[in-house]
Amino acid sequence: QVQLVESGGGLVQAGDSLRLSCATSGRTFSSYAMGWFRQAPGKEREFVAAINWSGGSTYYSASVKGRFSISRDNAKNTVYLQMNSLKPEDTAIYACAMEYGSSWKGRPDYWGQGTQVTVSS
């Protein structure tokens, strides 16, 4: 059984930082590219960042590039999202996703439940 469990969300002020974690189990983590998505109230789910199996390639949406950083630890079966210079518009539920294969193609196979991030102005 595949499990993706996010943690690290919370309520912060604009300009603060947070680091999200997504711990996985049930699959060979290094066989999967990983991604982060977010969904704000009343909006569609939005791609945030992704990383290939080795961590050697990363991808970001224009809205977070330069502020967020995705990384992974294959020994811990965990992917991270470091979020700096947070803005109120970053408020959303953040969920991680797994996609089988070495590189990210935008078609996840598994999803986590998500963690709430709220940024106050």
Side-chain angles (χ1 to χ4, degrees):
Q1 183 179 358
V2 181
Q3 284 194 313
L4 292 79
V5 180
E6 301 92 341
S7 61
L11 172 63
V12 297
Q13 292 188 330
D16 286 351
S17 298
L18 275 177
R19 188 175 85 151
L20 305 183
S21 299
C22 171
T24 73
S25 61
R27 291 292 183 271
T28 303
F29 183 68
S30 58
S31 295
Y32 287 78
M34 298 295 298
W36 284 96
F37 290 77
R38 67 187 182 185
Q39 187 166 19
K43 295 188 177 181
E44 293 189 354
R45 185 167 58 200
E46 173 190 18
F47 168 79
V48 175
I51 189 167
N52 75 335
W53 74 277
S54 67
S57 295
T58 56
Y59 315 89
Y60 299 94
S61 69
S63 61
V64 307
K65 194 169 187 179
R67 299 188 298 123
F68 291 12
S69 177
I70 188 171
S71 61
R72 65 189 293 159
D73 185 337
N74 286 350
K76 296 183 178 179
N77 297 336
T78 300
V79 63
Y80 305 97
L81 185 68
Q82 177 67 44
M83 306 186 295
N84 299 329
S85 302
L86 282 161
K87 305 175 181 180
E89 52 263 43
D90 294 319
T91 295
I93 295 174
Y94 285 71
C96 63
M98 298 180 74
E99 178 178 335
Y100 183 74
S102 59
S103 60
W104 181 259
K105 295 180 179 60
R107 296 189 293 271
D109 299 294
Y110 306 105
W111 293 87
Q113 292 295 315
T115 185
Q116 176 71 48
V117 172
T118 303
V119 185
S120 64
S121 57

